[in-house]
Each structure stands twice: as structure tokens, then as C-alpha cells.
Amino acid sequence: MGTVEPQIATEAQQQTDGFQLVIDALKLNELDTIYGLPGIPITDLTRRAQAAGLRVLSFRHEQNAGYAASIAGFLTQKPGICLTVSAPGFLNGLNALAHATVNCFPMILISGSSEREVVDLQQGDYEEMDQLAIAKPVAKAAFRVLHAEDIGVGIARAIRAAVSGRPGGVYLDLPAKLFAQSIDAAAGKNSLIKVVDAAPRQIPAAEAVKRAVDLLRSSKKPLIILGKGAAYAQADADIRALVEKTGIPYLSMSMAKGLLPDNHEQSASAARSYVLPEADVVMLIGARLNWLLSHGKGKTWGGKGHKDWGGQKFVQVDISPQEADSNVRIDAPVVGDIGSCVSAFLNEIKSGWAKPPVEWLNAISAKKTTNVAKMAETLAKTPSPMNFHSALNVVRDIIKANPDAMLVNEGANALDFTRSIVDMYKPRKRIDVGTWGIMGVGMGYCVAAAVVTKQQVIAIEGDSAFGFSGMEVETICRYNLPVCIVIMNNNGVYKGTDVNPTGGPDVAPTVFVKGARYDKLMEAFGGVGANATTPAELRKAMEEAVRSRKPTLINAVIDETAGTESGRITSLNPTAKKK
Ligand code: ADP
Ligand code: MG
């Protein structure tokens, strides 16, 4: 970090102001990157932050800046900072703030706002809005700073709220007048807080650990499920040791893929639909029993009806004491940070541990062999035009050859197929739609992933999903980031074959312009565009992108009949529910 001193007029040599204190407080806490979009009243904040040595990345829409900040938080365990203008800019950033909170990613949305006096009397200010009140329901915490001498406290509180306990999104409201307030420089400096131990370790209770280990010992068919909380915790070596020492088969949730390599012999991913209903004790590590795990009941888990429980017992390792019993009974909750919990487990099993019965392991391995062979057969086909499988077979090879690359993934079919086909080999390399299963995270994630990790980024995007953040290809070109975007172009949402039943001039609501050339968008800003109609063309273009590290967009032409409605979550469609 540079050491640029505050640039303040001579007459105010001993003075500092709100702008400077915000910048100094961020720097003091090693928050060195801002994802945002300049405008009133924060334009000068972006300029002065850059002058002070912070990295200030400007986006074309606040939502994308927000998603970038949220995923930077996930990757670094430090709050990602998003900076927006008031009212409309703030509202654009709010989607990402909610996303951060729901996904347990630490993020701080800092937004300029109008003056309190005018807002509270509703006198009609430029971009007037009671932003604090609006942010509260979607934030883990929300604060407003009215006086320059409180900036240090405001930022310290925001940092602690974002990263301690279960991480989340925090809103920090900074009214325009605050930035220009000037105070004595020494008093200002003294008011800043360098946060000590922002995310204190939370040690699990010994009896909780013992209860959990005893339950696991009693199991004939144990299973571990690793979630993105486990990936976030950065306790990679201990988690791997726990899985390997216990010999328990495991499943990885989407963003936990690669925490242990997907080709690990204990991975049960290729036998998921076998192990979930069969397991007798399931240990959840940083994974919630939400819709992504069918709420721990129903047919997926061996229950007969929708609400029926399959009979499993659960251990749940989570930092949030309120998470247990949210969907089904948790027999052994272990509350603490995952690093501390996992090392406590390792300690507890030191005294002796018997690996799971071979019948269980053999049954899983037999299922895996069958399913892997089936998948290999599908992947080996080369239909023309390409389908998701033949295109993703290429992506699978490219990731295998470049295991350090970051994989960004969104869409419906583009998401589901990539998740199951493309293996990951290292922790925190796969970042995707997360807990809500939303579209729109793509290009924001690409920017943050490239900036934070400096690694090659590969984005596998549905053509519909890409549309939500597509304009950020300009941002990617502007900062010359090593991002290779592959658009799975099947001419529409889910697929491109719907027809308007009235015969009228409008195409069906799910259909886009046929044969669109998304690659031209990238060329417009000086990046590399490529059109791929065969796996060979796709492979060549991806290899070149990885070699050159140039911003690249590949339009992968996919059969427009490929893809299913809503991907794998067809059951959530109201019409499907009615049936
Ligand atoms: P997935 O979608 O991968 O299943 P979830 O987002 O549902 O993952 O679950 C993540 C869980 O991890 C949350 O319940 C959260 O409280 C927990 N968590 C996040 N960070 C930590 C941590 N450092 N230690 C313990 N638990 C954590
Ligand atoms: Mg599509």
C-alpha cells in the first residue's frame, strides 16, 4: 500500500475531512479495494481513494459492483467494499447486499445519501430516500454516521458485523454533508479504530464435540456434507484430514467443490442420489438444510412423502447457534467456527477410530462406477450442433489442466450441467449463484475473482444469465483482466424453441434473437471474440484465452432444443406443483 498523505489545502494543514477519514479508516483496516460506481456525492471519494493508493474499480451498474464485493468477501474473509451513490444507485446495490446476507458473505455496502433534515421531513431532495430503513431488512446490520469524528467507529462496527459470527452484508449510510465536514487532523486520526480480532474464533463445547463423535462412531453408514461455510472457513488441511482420517464418504455442495478434489476416492458426488436416502448419520459442515438439500426430508432423503423424514440422524457444525433444527431435528449440533470445530474433532478421534463398514463403502463405490461410466458415455458423444454435454466436456478438460483457474458459473442448464460435469481440484475455485440460485452474479464475480486471486477466470454462462451483467465486459476490458467468458448460447431462457401460440409478431417470452453473436460484444471493447460451433473450436478458443490471459468471450453455439425448463428445479415451477 502506498503512503500518499492527505492532500488538504495549506490553510487547513491541521484539518482533515470526512472523505479522508473514510479512506484512512479503510486503509487502517487493510481494506484496499473498492468496487463501485462514482456519482453524487461519492465521486470525490473514489478519486481521493485512488490517489491514496486504494484500488478503485468502477463498474457500469451497481448491482455488479455489489456482487463483486460480496464474492471478494467470500474469497478473502475480509468484508468486500461496495460504494454507491444515493437512492437509485443504493437500490441497485441492495440486491447484492441481500445476496451477501443470505449467502453468509462478509460485505459492506457504503452508500452516499441525502441530508437527514430534508429526508426526514420528506421535503424532496435530489435522490431523497430513507436508505437506512430500506437496507435494514436485507442486511445483517445497518449503521449511519452523521459526524466526521464517528467515522472510525462506524467503519469498525461495520467490519465486525460483517465478519464476526455468521458473516453477512452490512449497510453503512454516509450522508453527503459528512464528507465535507472538517475536523482537527490529530483528533481525526485518534478517532480511527484498527479492529482487533474482527472474527474471533468460537471454540465448540467439549461435550458437543463428544456427542457428535459418539453419534458418528455408532453409525454404519455415515456421510459428511461440506458446504460453502466450510470453504469460507479456510481450514482446508484440517477438513481434508478429518475426512481422510475418519474414512467417511462426503458430498460437496456447489461452492464447496474442490475443498477436497472432486476425484478424491471418498467423494460420493457420483452416487448422491444413493447416499442421501441410505446414510444413517449425516454430518453437515457449513451447509444448511435448506432447499438445496431438500430440507433434509422427502424422497431425496428416503422419506415417502414430501414432508416425510428419512430416518437419518444429523450432526451439524455451524457458527450460528440458531441454525440447528431449522428443518429437521439435529441430534448433535456443534456450534463454533469450522476451523476450531474440525480441529476439536481431530483431537477427539485421536484416541482411536474405526473406519466405516466396507459394505457401505463398497456399495457407494459400485454406484459411482456405474454412474461415472454412464456419464463418460454421454460426454464422449459429439452431436452437431453441440449440446451442453459436448461443450462442457471441453470445459472439464480445460479446468483439469488449469486447476488454479477460478470458475464462475450461472444459468439454469448451464449451471446444473457444469456443476455435475466439471470437476474442481482446489478449494474456493468454484463461485456461483449460491443460496438463492440467482442470475446476474456473473460479470461482477469475474472482476472480483480476477482482482483478488490474480488467476485466470473462466465463466460458464447461460445466454440468459449473461444478459444481467453483460455490459461489464467493458469493465473487464478496461482493467484488462484474464477472464474467459463462455456463453452457452441456445437462443433463450432454458431453450430457444418456444413459439408464440397466437401466431402474433412477438416471439415467445423465453426466446431471444436467434443466432446472436455475443462474441462481438467483447470485440467492441478491444477484447477477443470467438464463435465456437464444435468442441474442437471451443477447445482451441479456450486454450488460447488461457494462454494469452486476454479478455475473451466465446459464443458457444448450443442446440436450441437442448436444456430443460428451470434446469434441475422444474419441481419449483408453480405449474409443476399443481400437477
Ligand atoms: P451451502 O449452500 O454450500 O450448503 P450454506 O450457505 O447453506 O452452504 O451454509 C453455510 C453455513 O456455514 C451457514 O449456516 C453459516 O452459518 C456457516 N458458516 C459460515 N462461515 C462459517 C465459519 N467460519 N464457521 C462455521 N460456520 C460457518
Ligand atoms: Mg439459454
Side-chain angles (χ1 to χ4, degrees):
M1 185 75 45
T3 50
V4 181
E5 288 300 317
Q7 296 161 359
I8 295 167
T10 31
E11 158 256 344
Q13 222 31 289
Q14 316 301 328
Q15 296 287 104
T16 188
D17 66 5
F19 284 118
Q20 196 59 47
L21 288 166
V22 171
I23 293 162
D24 291 347
L26 293 174
K27 284 182 75 170
L28 185 64
N29 287 288
E30 284 152 23
L31 298 173
D32 53 12
T33 306
I34 294 174
Y35 303 89
L37 208 161
I40 296 173
I42 49 106
T43 314
D44 274 346
L45 184 61
T46 62
R47 288 198 187 103
R48 286 174 59 176
Q50 186 175 58
L54 274 77
R55 185 138 199 223
V56 183
L57 296 148
S58 280
F59 286 71
R60 305 301 295 263
H61 189 289
E62 290 88 351
Q63 182 171 308
N64 306 320
Y67 285 140
S70 74
I71 206 67
F74 169 76
L75 292 170
T76 62
Q77 295 184 324
K78 292 199 289 185
I81 305 294
C82 176
L83 182 63
T84 69
V85 303
S86 33
F90 157 79
L91 286 174
N92 286 344
L94 215 52
N95 212 323
L97 182 70
H99 171 74
T101 304
V102 166
N103 282 274
C104 318
F105 299 160
M107 164 184 173
I108 303 174
L109 174 65
I110 301 179
S111 190
S113 62
S114 305
E115 303 319 333
R116 294 308 318 155
E117 296 83 347
V118 185
V119 172
D120 290 346
L121 278 170
Q122 297 179 28
Q123 293 173 308
D125 204 352
Y126 167 74
E127 298 186 350
E128 175 185 301
M129 177 173 275
D130 187 0
Q131 298 174 189
L132 186 70
I134 290 167
K136 269 184 185 160
V138 298
K140 184 180 169 194
F143 306 100
R144 176 187 290 131
V145 181
L146 291 177
H147 304 291
E149 57 267 34
D150 291 332
I151 287 173
V153 167
I155 288 187
R157 299 213 73 194
I159 292 170
R160 277 196 193 281
V163 299
S164 64
R166 172 182 275 179
V170 175
Y171 177 59
L172 189 61
D173 194 78
L174 304 181
K177 254 202 290 200
L178 175 80
F179 295 114
Q181 275 178 30
S182 96
I183 63 168
D184 176 72
K189 189 169 182 214
N190 204 28
S191 72
L192 300 182
I193 295 172
K194 184 166 169 57
V195 177
V196 176
D197 196 12
R201 302 200 73 173
Q202 285 179 228
I203 314 292
E207 66 269 24
V209 172
K210 185 161 185 311
R211 188 189 298 123
V213 171
D214 286 348
L215 185 56
L216 285 167
R217 282 189 206 279
S218 74
S219 164
K220 300 269 176 297
K221 296 174 173 182
L223 177 69
I224 290 174
I225 298 181
L226 301 169
K228 62 180 171 306
Y232 174 81
Q234 298 193 15
D236 310 336
D238 274 0
I239 290 173
R240 185 169 185 150
L242 181 69
V243 171
E244 290 180 344
K245 289 207 167 120
T246 57
I248 299 176
Y250 71 93
L251 290 177
S252 301
M253 299 300 288
S254 192
M255 280 178 58
K257 273 169 74 76
L259 192 43
L260 275 82
D262 279 337
N263 58 357
H264 193 283
E265 65 160 339
Q266 283 172 256
S267 167
S269 287
R272 189 179 194 272
S273 56
Y274 171 72
V275 292
L276 288 178
E278 281 294 319
D280 60 359
V281 176
V282 178
M283 173 151 79
L284 301 155
I285 307 184
R288 287 171 282 187
L289 274 177
N290 55 18
W291 69 283
L292 289 160
L293 282 169
S294 311
H295 306 283
K297 55 197 167 193
K299 296 211 171 89
T300 310
W301 291 87
K304 286 183 193 73
H306 180 59
K307 302 211 156 179
D308 207 45
W309 166 60
Q312 294 82 359
K313 290 199 167 5
F314 286 97
V315 175
Q316 183 159 35
V317 182
D318 204 289
I319 201 148
S320 166
Q322 293 179 46
E323 187 54 39
D325 303 333
S326 55
N327 284 277
V328 296
R329 177 174 56 243
I330 300 298
D331 305 274
V334 181
V335 175
D337 74 88
I338 283 166
S340 301
C341 293
V342 169
S343 71
F345 285 131
L346 283 169
N347 211 33
E348 184 71 27
I349 63 168
K350 251 194 207 146
S351 50
W353 177 265
K355 297 235 163 153
V358 282
E359 298 78 46
W360 174 231
L361 303 181
N362 288 345
I364 295 172
S365 144
K367 287 279 167 199
K368 272 174 70 175
T369 310
T370 321
N371 291 343
V372 167
K374 247 191 253 162
M375 177 62 96
E377 209 176 290
T378 314
L379 290 178
K381 289 185 186 145
T382 51
S384 176
M386 288 190 283
N387 61 12
F388 286 98
H389 289 89
S390 62
L392 288 169
N393 188 39
V394 173
V395 178
R396 176 185 162 95
D397 290 347
I398 300 279
I399 292 287
K400 190 169 190 184
N402 300 278
D404 284 311
M406 294 294 299
L407 180 69
V408 173
N409 189 203
E410 63 175 337
N413 294 283
L415 176 85
D416 293 333
F417 287 126
T418 305
R419 188 178 51 234
S420 57
I421 293 170
V422 178
D423 286 339
M424 304 306 296
Y425 303 90
K426 295 194 176 185
R428 292 172 299 284
K429 294 296 183 186
R430 185 189 153 87
I431 49 181
D432 65 27
V433 303
T435 304
W436 266 345
I438 40 147
M439 307 293 141
V441 295
M443 298 305 104
Y445 273 21
C446 283
V447 172
V451 164
V452 167
T453 70
K454 315 261 192 287
Q455 300 289 344
Q456 175 68 43
V457 178
I458 293 171
I460 306 301
E461 300 272 316
D463 52 343
S464 161
F466 173 73
F468 291 77
S469 65
M471 193 63 207
E472 303 296 344
V473 294
E474 189 276 330
T475 311
I476 289 166
C477 288
R478 185 168 9 110
Y479 295 115
N480 195 24
L481 300 172
V483 174
C484 170
I485 304 154
V486 179
I487 312 273
M488 298 287 178
N489 187 358
N490 63 351
N491 295 345
V493 182
Y494 308 132
K495 47 181 163 179
T497 50
D498 270 12
V499 174
N500 179 346
T502 71
D506 291 346
V507 297
T510 53
V511 170
F512 294 153
V513 167
K514 304 226 178 205
R517 289 288 302 272
Y518 289 95
D519 48 315
K520 302 281 179 198
L521 268 176
M522 189 55 114
E523 288 174 356
F525 303 105
V528 177
N531 192 49
T533 58
T534 64
E537 285 171 2
L538 178 59
R539 190 179 303 270
K540 186 161 170 276
M542 288 190 80
E543 281 173 352
E544 178 55 22
V546 171
R547 195 199 56 73
S548 73
R549 286 174 66 91
K550 283 191 188 141
T552 301
L553 194 156
I554 304 167
N555 184 57
V557 181
I558 304 289
D559 185 350
E560 67 173 8
T561 65
T564 40
E565 175 100 8
S566 312
R568 294 256 172 92
I569 51 174
T570 309
S571 62
L572 297 182
N573 269 346
T575 28
K577 283 204 159 154
K578 232 169 77 184
K579 280 178 196 156

